[in-house]
Amino acid sequence: MPLDQKPVSAQPSADSGPDLAPGGEPADEAPGTTPDGDAEAWSVRQSGPWTHRDLAANGARFHIAELGSGPLVLLVHGWPEYWWAWRHQLTALAEAGYRAVALDLRGVGGSDRTPRGYDPGNLALDITGVIRSLGERRAHLVGHAAGGTLAWVAAVMRPSVIQSLTVVSAAHPRDLRRALLTDRRQAAAFEHVLGFQRPWIPERRLVADDAALVGRYLDAWAGPNRLDEEAVHAYRQAIQIPSTAHCSIEPYRWLLRSMARPDGIQFARRMKKPITAPTLHVQGAADPVLLSHTALGGGEYVAAPYRWRLMPGVGHFPHEEAPEQFTAELLDWVGRHKE
């Protein structure tokens, strides 16, 4: 059975081992069971009008959900979500005449869980590699939160591949770095990221009690329009797929640990390069994770048309909390930059 279709792992005991095998390789954890002993059948490949398939890019295997035909719009999720976060946009984009593809990032959902490769440069190359593996030269790139950060990076590293950029709930990497170093409010809002820096403990906490902590994060980070129960259940299940808890927080470990290292400093310098793709920047005014004043100012790095959209009463998940409003903004933006 493929990894992404294995039953979720059971709640770990207090003396359970780490999520990785010796040497840093993702462990092949035992399948979980329900209290009556029957294996759970949940899978990330939810049925719908879309098609699921796997493709190779940048040395790994990636799962995508695809719907429609026309210009490519690639949708990249944030944490703790996976491709299903874009279910509303997949159908709307396809109906509007686009080839909509939602990607599972490396280490998440149905994609490979590799022992290394979670720095932003490599993850951005995953994204641009997927575009090429889909047989396209260019794409409209849409990213949320961590996926939005990678969208900024991809637009710098492979500008010829990005036709337009839509960034959701994600500050430009240089703005985020500055805020984490100088802004106490933003650092406090990233308290969960600080907690991810410890070894082993965060992974165990994330999957404990049927991933109850992930449910609390989702509830606390949304605005008045909470995520529906089906969505919360899906994300709690997805984080329990073996090795996902570890792999999905590795980028956050790199974020903080690299700040004083040569690779982190070099990355920050590289991100000074102007972005040449037309950029739509969407931010929820009630986002408690990425504060609005941290995100504001991304246009400083864009040498192309730039639009800032602040959505009142919306938290960290605009595409799920206000899908119709967000999708209207997205369709208008990509429609303006088809050529």
Side-chain angles (χ1 to χ4, degrees), residues 21-196:
E25 296 292 335
D28 188 11
E29 301 171 26
T33 58
T34 58
D36 60 5
D38 294 327
E40 299 180 23
W42 185 87
S43 168
V44 300
R45 299 178 185 245
Q46 283 101 325
S47 60
W50 39 74
T51 299
H52 294 281
R53 64 188 180 101
D54 299 321
L55 49 83
N58 197 29
R61 178 189 59 88
F62 295 92
H63 165 250
I64 63 167
E66 182 176 14
L67 183 63
S69 60
L72 175 61
V73 181
L74 183 63
L75 305 151
V76 186
H77 63 84
W79 192 91
E81 299 181 324
Y82 61 104
W83 76 268
W84 199 63
W86 302 107
R87 60 200 178 279
H88 305 293
Q89 288 73 39
L90 279 171
T91 53
L93 286 164
E95 290 169 0
Y98 294 95
R99 181 187 185 189
V101 174
L103 167 70
D104 278 338
L105 285 168
R106 181 185 295 256
V108 178
S111 295
D112 276 352
R113 287 144 180 80
T114 58
R116 288 169 293 277
Y118 297 96
D119 60 279
N122 193 63
L123 292 172
L125 291 177
D126 288 346
I127 292 170
T128 57
V130 164
I131 294 171
R132 293 297 174 84
S133 292
L134 287 165
E136 303 284 352
R137 291 178 52 254
R138 305 179 75 199
H140 301 277
L141 180 59
V142 184
H144 168 252
T149 298
L150 298 177
W152 287 116
V153 180
V156 166
M157 295 182 65
R158 296 290 186 269
S160 63
V161 179
I162 310 304
Q163 189 164 350
S164 77
L165 190 64
T166 300
V167 179
V168 189
S169 306
H172 187 277
R174 287 183 60 84
D175 287 339
L176 180 59
R177 175 187 174 89
R178 184 184 309 115
L180 291 175
L181 291 172
T182 63
D183 185 344
R184 292 182 179 179
R185 288 179 58 202
Q186 183 58 70
F190 261 46
E191 181 182 7
H192 63 290
V193 175
L194 297 176
F196 289 163

Side-chain angles (χ1 to χ4, degrees), residues 23 28 35 43 71 82 120-121 133 184 232 259 287 292 309 325-326:
D28 188 11
S43 168
Y82 61 104
S133 292
R184 292 182 179 179
V232 173
M259 281 191 173
D287 188 341
S292 298
R309 284 291 183 264
Q325 182 183 353
F326 172 80

Side-chain angles (χ1 to χ4, degrees), residues 259-273:
M259 281 191 173
R261 296 195 318 236
D263 57 333
I265 296 170
Q266 183 181 15
F267 170 73
R269 289 174 178 166
R270 186 173 190 179
M271 289 305 298
K272 287 183 180 180
K273 183 178 178 181

